[in-house]
Amino acid sequence: MLSDVTTPQDLDDRFRESLAALAAPQHRADPAQAVAGGAALTGAQLLELFDAQVTSRQLDLAGRWLRSFGEGYYTIGSAGHEGNAAVAAALRPTDPALLHYRSGAFYCVRAAQAAQQVPAGNSAVAGAATSPGRAGDNGAASDPPGGVAAATDPVGGAGTAADPAGESESATDRAGGERPDGDHHDGDVADGAADPGHSGVTGGSDPRIRGVAGSTALPAAIAPARGTVAVDPLPNGEPAEAVPPADPDQPTAPAPPAPARAASGPAASGSTKTAQTATTAQPATGSAGHDEVEAVVSMASVKRPVDPAYAEAARDVLRGMAASSREPIAGGRHKVFGRADLAVLPTTSTIASHLPRAVGMALAVERLRRLDARRGAGRGDPATPASWAPDAIVVCSFGDASINHATATAAFNTAGWYDHAGLRIPVLFVCEDNGLGISVRSPQGWVATALRSKPGIRYFAADGADAIGAYGVAAEAAAWVRRHRRPAVLHLSTVRLMGHAGADAESGYRAPAEIAADLAVDPVVATARRLVEAGLASGAELLARYDEIGWQVRRIAEQVLDEPKLTSAAEVIAPLAPRRPLRVAHAVAEAGARAAGAGAGARAEVFGGKPPELAGPLTLAQSINAALTDGLLDHPQMAVFGEDVAAKGGVYGVTKGLRDRFGAARVFDTLLDETSILGLGLGAGLAGMLPVPEIQYLAYLHNAEDQLRGEAATMRFFSQGALRNPMVVRVAGLAYQEGFGGHFHNDNSVAVLRDVPGLVIAVPARPDDAAAMLRSCLASAAVDGSVCVFLEPIALYHTRDLYADGDGEWLAHYPEPGAWAGGHVPVGRARVYGVGSAEDITIITFGNGVRMSLRAASRMADEGIGTRVVDLRWLAPLPVADLIREATATGRVLVVDETRRSGGVGEGVIAALVDAGYVGAARRVAGVDSFVPLGPAARQVLVSEEAITQGARTLLAR
C-alpha cells in the first residue's frame, strides 16, 4: 500500500503489481531483430538494459536493507534514474565518464561494456537513431566511424570556428524539449501524436501519463520530450568535416555487437532460481513449427544467464555502501561510482564541481589527439602518455538543481567560450532532470530553457523512462560530439523514487499524489512494458528475472558485510599524497642531464643563444621565467595557461616570451574565471598533461578553492592512487606591494590552502630557491602526481637589493643544468641563514618575512646578537625536522608570520614545535586579523622589521 513516503517495500510492491498486470504476449519476437520499427536497439539489447536497470534498482533496495541494521552507510540511490542505462549503452567503454550519485544503471552497463558483454554505441547504431526530419543537419547518420571535425589546435591555435551551435532557432527548437517539472496534469495532445517540430518523428506514449493498461491525453508541453529528439541543429549547409583518426592502427569503432545470449548455460553466481522460473522449452530439431519457434525465442530471450559483469558491478557498489576496503576505486573511503579500468572517474560532489574538470579533460583529450596526428605517435610514445582513445569523448552527468551552481555555469560558459573561439571540446553533458534538488523544485520549464540558452552547446532531450527513445537520442548526441568534437548537452527527464536518501521524509514537501505520479512512470516498469509489447517476454518472466537478480544482489550484500574495513589512520591516508623524494631527486638530475646533453641544442635555440646561467644575476621573476622555460623544454606535455599569461606575459612579466618560444598550444590565455582555469588544469592532468595554471592573485583563488580542495586533492584519495591529476598552480600573492593594493592585490590568507590534505605549498623567497623549488614541484607532479601550489611573493618579484640600495644581494645566478642535481631542493626542506654567531635566537619565517628577518638580524648582529634565520620554503608539508633542529640549537624561537595571527602559518609552526617536545622559549610576530587596506594604512596591520626586532629583543630578555 502506497504511503506518503515511498519505502523500499512500497516500491517493490508497486513493481510487482505492475508486472503482474502485464499480459503475456500473443506472439514471440526474435530478440536479434530491432525491438520496434526504426528503433536502434535490438530486443536482446533492450533485455540487457532491463537487467542493468533491475540490478540498479535492487542495489537501491539492498542499500536501504543494509542501512536498516547499521551496516550500510550510503542510501542516496538511483531509483527513477535508471534511464541512464541507455546513455551508457550509447557510449563507448573507453569514453571517460564523470558520474553523479544516481548512476547505478549507467555503471552496470559500463561494466558489461568493458567486459565485451554489452555492445557499445557505435556510429552505425547512432545513425539509425537520427530523426528523419533533420534535412539541414549534417549529423551522425552519415558520419564515418571515428570521423572527427577538422579544426584548429584546441589550445590557443589560430583559425576560424565552425558556426556555433544554437545560432539559429528551428521548428525543433520552438516545438519542445521542455517538461513541466513535477507537474502531472493532462494536456490536449493525443498520446502518440507526431511532433510537428520533428517532421513526423514520434516517440510513443508518455510513461508519466500513461497507465499500465491504457493511455491518456498527453500535455502539449511534454510531448516533444517524450521519446523524441529535441535538438538545436546547426545552420543548413555546414560542411561535413572528416579527418582520419590519429593512429591508423587504432580501431575507429567499438567491436561488433555481441550475439544474443545462448539459451543454455548456468545462471550467474550459481543461482537456481532461474531454472525454477524460466520457460523450459527446448529448440526443436529439423523443421520447426510456429509454436516451436516461439518457444525457442522465448527461452533465448528470457532464460539467459544474468551477465556476470552486472553481478561484479553490484559487488563494487555494495562494497562502497558497506565501506569495504576491497571496494575497487575508493577502497572504503567513500561510496563513489568509479573504476579506472572502466574509464569511470570518481567524483564525490553532490553538485556540479566535477563539470569544470570534464571540460578541461575534453580540451586535453582533443589536444593530445591532434598532437598524436601531427607527430604520427602511437599510444606507447612517451611523448603522448594519455590512456584515452584518440576519438574519445568525455561524458559527465549531474542533476537539474546543479545547473544553478556556479561551477556548472563556469563549465558551460567555458565550453561555449572555447567553441565560439573555434577550439574543440568533445564533452557531452548529461543533465538528469527529476525536477527536485532535495526538496527544492526546479521551476517548470526552467531546466530546458536554461540548457537551450547555453551558447556553443548543442541541445538534445530525451525521456529517461523510454529506454528505446533515450538510447536513440543519446547515441545521436554521442556521435555528434564524437564527429564534430564540440560540446553538447543531453537533457534526460527522470523521476526520483524513494526520496533523496533514506532519511528524507518526502511527505514534508511533496503531496502523496505527486509521489504516486512519479511511481506511475517508474522507468524499470516502462522498460518491462516495452519488452512485453514487443513480444520479448511476459510480465511473469520479467518478474522472475527481477527476483533472480534481487536474490543475487542480496547474496552479494551479505558477502560484503564480512569484508575488512579500513582500521588505521595509516591505511586511510596511504594513497592521499605519496612522497618519493629519491625518485623526485632523480627526475631533477635526469632533467639536468638532458638539458646539458641531448637537449642542449634545443635549449640554446629557445633561449636565443643566451641561456639564463650566462645572463648574470636574476630577479625572482626572471628566475621563475627561466625555470618555466626549462620545464617546458623537458616536459613535452607541460602547458602554461591563465589570464594574461600569453600575449602580455603576465601582469608582472613572469611568463614573458614563453608563448613566442613554445607556441600558443602550450602557453595560452584563458577566459577570466578561476574555477574554469583550475578545472582545465584538473582535466588536463587526468588526460596525461602536466598543467601549470596561473591564478593572477591569491585573493582570486578563493573564488575557486573547492577545485583544489574537493576535486584536485581528493583524486588519489578516492581512487587509491589509480588516478591522479598532477598540477602546479602558480599563484601571485602575499602583501607588501608598494603603491598598489587593497585586499585583492595584497592578500595574505593562506589558511584555506594549508587545510587541504596532501596539497604541496611552496613559497620561494629568493631567486635561486625559486628555480630549484619549481623544478621540484614539476618533478613531484610528474613522478608522484602531486598537486602543488607555487605561491610567489609579488613584492619580491623584482626586488634586487637586501641591505642597501644597489647592493644586489637579493639577486642570484641561475644554475647551469649540470648543477641542478647538486642544488636540488626537496619538498619539505627548509633553508637556514646564519647571521653573526647564529647562537642566540632562531627566527622561523617565509616569503617576505625572510628578507625582513635578514635585515633585522643584520642590525641585531651589530649589537652582538647571533641569529639563525630559517626560511620554511614549504608551508605544506612543513619542514618539521629542520624546525626542531634549528629551534633546539638556540632554545629561543621567534616565528615571523606575515599571514594573520588567527589561522596563520605561525600557529602550525608553534604546534609542530610543541608536538615534537620543544621546551624552549617561543614567541610570535604575526599580521593583524584584518584585510590588508590600501596605501600607508597597510603598515598598521602587517609585520614590519621593527616588530621583528622588538619581538626578538623581548624574547632575549626572558
Side-chain angles (χ1 to χ4, degrees):
M1 190 70 175
L2 180 66
S3 65
D4 60 354
V5 178
T6 307
T7 66
Q9 187 65 46
D10 292 332
L11 193 61
D12 183 69
D13 288 346
R14 185 63 176 261
F15 185 85
R16 293 177 180 282
E17 292 170 5
S18 298
L19 264 63
L22 297 176
Q26 294 182 352
H27 299 287
R28 293 286 181 166
D30 182 356
Q33 300 301 315
V35 71
L41 283 175
T42 66
Q45 290 174 312
L46 187 60
L47 285 162
E48 293 291 350
L49 290 186
F50 176 77
D51 281 357
Q53 291 180 325
V54 167
T55 303
S56 178
R57 177 63 54 82
Q58 292 289 6
L59 282 169
D60 289 350
L61 299 178
R64 302 297 178 97
W65 174 70
L66 289 170
R67 187 71 184 91
S68 68
F69 52 90
E71 292 290 348
Y73 304 97
Y74 202 90
T75 55
I76 296 178
S78 306
H81 283 247
E82 291 91 352
N84 56 39
V87 179
L91 296 164
R92 296 177 184 171
T94 52
D95 291 331
L98 295 83
L99 306 178
H100 73 143
Y101 53 31
R102 302 195 189 277
S103 301
F106 186 111
Y107 185 79
C108 290
V109 172
R110 174 57 66 90
Q113 283 178 324
Q116 297 184 347
Q117 299 284 346
V118 174
N122 54 54
S123 57
V125 174
T130 304
S131 304
R134 301 279 307 287
D137 182 16
N138 295 314
S142 59
D143 293 353
V148 289
T152 62
D153 191 289
V155 184
T160 303
D163 293 336
E167 284 188 354
S168 62
E169 185 182 32
S170 69
T172 301
D173 303 331
R174 296 186 293 271
E178 301 179 10
R179 70 166 178 82
D181 300 337
D183 187 11
H184 303 289
H185 59 275
D186 290 345
D188 47 28
V189 176
D191 184 303
D195 174 9
H198 291 286
S199 304
V201 180
T202 62
S205 60
D206 177 7
R208 283 182 183 270
I209 308 301
R210 183 177 179 181
V212 171
S215 62
T216 65
L218 192 61
I222 302 178
R226 296 296 167 210
T228 63
V229 180
V231 297
D232 293 330
L234 290 170
N236 290 350
E238 176 183 341
E241 301 171 306
V243 183
D247 182 355
D249 296 324
Q250 174 70 27
T252 58
R261 291 285 187 276
S264 60
S269 303
S271 169
T272 59
K273 287 195 173 184
T274 300
Q276 296 169 358
T277 57
T279 177
T280 58
Q282 300 294 324
T285 57
S287 60
H290 180 75
D291 292 341
E292 292 171 318
V293 171
E294 288 201 347
V296 173
V297 169
S298 174
M299 183 181 68
S301 60
V302 179
K303 189 186 177 182
R304 64 196 200 291
V306 177
D307 194 328
Y310 293 146
E312 289 309 304
R315 190 180 302 276
D316 292 347
V317 176
L318 288 165
R319 282 172 164 165
M321 292 178 182
S324 166
S325 62
R326 294 178 181 170
E327 191 270 334
I329 190 69
R333 292 167 184 82
H334 195 36
K335 189 269 183 186
V336 295
F337 288 111
R339 232 176 75 188
D341 61 323
L342 301 184
V344 176
L345 313 177
T347 65
T348 62
S349 175
T350 57
I351 50 170
S353 63
H354 57 295
L355 268 64
R357 182 203 297 272
V359 174
M361 190 170 186
L363 181 69
V365 163
E366 181 64 7
R367 175 185 182 273
L368 293 173
R369 183 187 71 81
R370 292 180 181 277
L371 288 177
D372 282 351
R374 291 172 183 174
R375 295 171 179 167
R379 292 274 299 279
D381 190 323
T384 56
S387 59
W388 315 111
D391 63 345
I393 68 173
V394 178
V395 61
C396 59
S397 60
F398 51 96
D400 54 289
S402 293
I403 70 167
N404 305 299
H405 199 274
T407 50
T409 299
F412 295 139
N413 184 71
T414 301
W417 189 87
Y418 276 115
D419 184 80
H420 187 77
L423 309 182
R424 293 313 192 221
I425 307 285
V427 60
L428 176 62
F429 300 106
V430 180
C431 177
E432 297 186 17
D433 180 5
N434 63 30
L436 288 163
I438 303 183
S439 66
V440 180
R441 288 175 172 79
S442 295
Q444 179 175 330
W446 166 248
V447 177
T449 299
L451 293 178
R452 283 177 176 278
S453 67
K454 304 299 181 187
I457 300 177
R458 185 75 171 275
Y459 178 85
F460 296 82
D463 176 13
D466 175 10
I468 300 172
Y471 176 83
V473 177
E476 183 179 11
W480 189 89
V481 174
R482 199 179 310 279
R483 169 177 167 76
H484 294 285
R485 319 304 291 170
R486 297 175 67 183
V489 60
L490 171 60
H491 181 193
L492 189 71
S493 61
T494 64
V495 293
R496 192 185 71 190
L497 306 178
M498 291 198 297
H500 175 72
D504 180 28
E506 288 189 287
S507 57
Y509 57 89
R510 299 187 80 191
E514 185 181 351
I515 297 172
D518 274 2
L519 273 169
V521 290
D522 183 335
V524 188
V525 173
T527 302
R529 184 181 301 118
R530 294 300 295 269
L531 287 168
V532 173
E533 290 171 350
L536 293 161
S538 68
E541 290 165 344
L542 296 175
L543 185 56
R545 193 73 168 175
Y546 173 80
D547 284 334
E548 162 65 12
I549 293 173
W551 175 79
Q552 288 193 25
V553 168
R554 182 64 61 92
R555 186 169 64 88
I556 295 170
E558 292 172 348
Q559 292 170 353
V560 302
L561 291 179
D562 295 327
E563 293 184 349
K565 307 290 194 295
L566 298 172
T567 57
S568 70
E571 280 187 282
V572 172
I573 67 173
L576 179 61
R579 299 275 183 261
R580 294 180 289 185
L582 292 180
R583 293 192 184 186
V584 171
H586 185 62
V588 170
E590 286 187 328
R594 284 191 293 270
R603 188 169 183 267
E605 181 180 354
V606 163
F607 281 112
K610 189 176 182 181
E613 59 266 27
L614 300 181
L618 305 179
T619 64
L620 181 73
Q622 291 170 332
S623 185
I624 293 172
N625 179 279
L628 287 171
T629 301
D630 275 323
L632 286 161
L633 278 166
D634 192 59
H635 299 278
Q637 298 308 317
M638 178 176 160
V640 174
F641 54 91
E643 301 165 24
D644 302 304
V645 304
K648 184 178 176 64
V651 173
Y652 297 96
V654 180
T655 57
K656 185 177 181 180
L658 294 184
R659 189 183 69 168
D660 293 337
R661 294 169 183 167
F662 295 98
R666 300 189 65 194
V667 181
F668 58 95
D669 291 324
T670 65
L671 71 176
L672 195 156
D673 178 60
E674 285 71 29
T675 294
S676 296
I677 292 170
L678 293 179
L680 291 174
L682 290 169
L686 271 173
M689 294 175 62
L690 180 56
V692 183
E694 178 187 291
I695 301 297
Q696 201 166 83
Y697 290 101
L698 176 59
Y700 298 166
L701 177 66
H702 305 316
N703 303 326
E705 58 200 22
D706 188 56
Q707 290 295 298
L708 289 179
R709 184 202 65 83
E711 296 295 315
T714 61
M715 179 54 70
R716 291 191 68 98
F717 185 71
F718 290 129
S719 70
Q720 300 184 88
L723 298 167
R724 62 186 202 166
N725 35 226
M727 184 163 62
V728 179
V729 185
R730 294 182 46 253
V731 183
L734 301 176
Y736 299 98
Q737 287 194 83
E738 294 292 335
F740 189 31
H743 72 288
F744 269 107
H745 301 100
N746 281 286
D747 182 33
N748 59 355
S749 178
V750 301
V752 68
L753 294 174
R754 293 189 61 248
D755 187 53
V756 178
L759 200 66
V760 173
I761 307 173
V763 184
R766 293 184 57 89
D768 46 350
D769 279 342
M773 292 170 68
L774 184 54
R775 280 192 287 272
S776 294
C777 285
L778 292 172
S780 183
V783 170
D784 292 329
S786 301
V787 180
C788 304
V789 173
F790 197 76
L791 181 57
E792 303 165 5
I794 297 173
L796 299 178
Y797 269 148
H798 306 298
T799 298
R800 306 177 69 85
D801 306 322
L802 174 56
Y803 300 116
D805 291 346
D807 67 11
E809 291 288 334
W810 207 253
L811 301 174
H813 287 277
Y814 190 86
E816 62 181 2
W820 292 358
H824 171 57
V825 177
V827 173
R829 293 303 306 272
R831 178 174 182 174
V832 182
Y833 300 84
V835 181
S837 66
E839 295 177 352
D840 299 311
I841 188 170
T842 300
I843 298 178
I844 299 175
T845 187
F846 64 96
N848 294 286
V850 177
R851 184 172 182 272
M852 290 189 294
S853 295
L854 287 172
R855 289 167 62 90
S858 178
R859 286 199 295 270
M860 290 189 292
D862 294 339
E863 303 171 12
I865 300 171
T867 306
R868 294 169 183 250
V869 177
V870 180
D871 179 3
L872 293 171
R873 299 196 292 197
W874 309 92
L875 304 188
L878 281 172
V880 176
D882 296 334
L883 299 184
I884 302 303
R885 183 188 65 249
E886 299 304 322
T888 303
T890 65
R892 298 183 185 92
V893 171
L894 179 67
V895 180
V896 176
D897 179 7
E898 66 175 287
T899 63
R900 299 165 191 169
R901 179 167 293 273
S902 298
V905 176
E907 288 183 347
V909 172
I910 295 294
L913 292 172
V914 172
D915 289 345
Y918 173 73
V919 295
R923 183 179 176 85
R924 275 195 300 161
V925 176
V928 175
D929 290 346
S930 169
F931 298 107
V932 181
L934 184 66
R939 303 189 189 113
Q940 307 305 314
V941 299
L942 295 174
V943 172
S944 66
E945 292 177 26
E946 291 73 18
I948 296 171
T949 303
Q950 183 60 42
R953 287 174 175 158
T954 301
L955 192 59
L956 288 165
R958 288 184 179 179

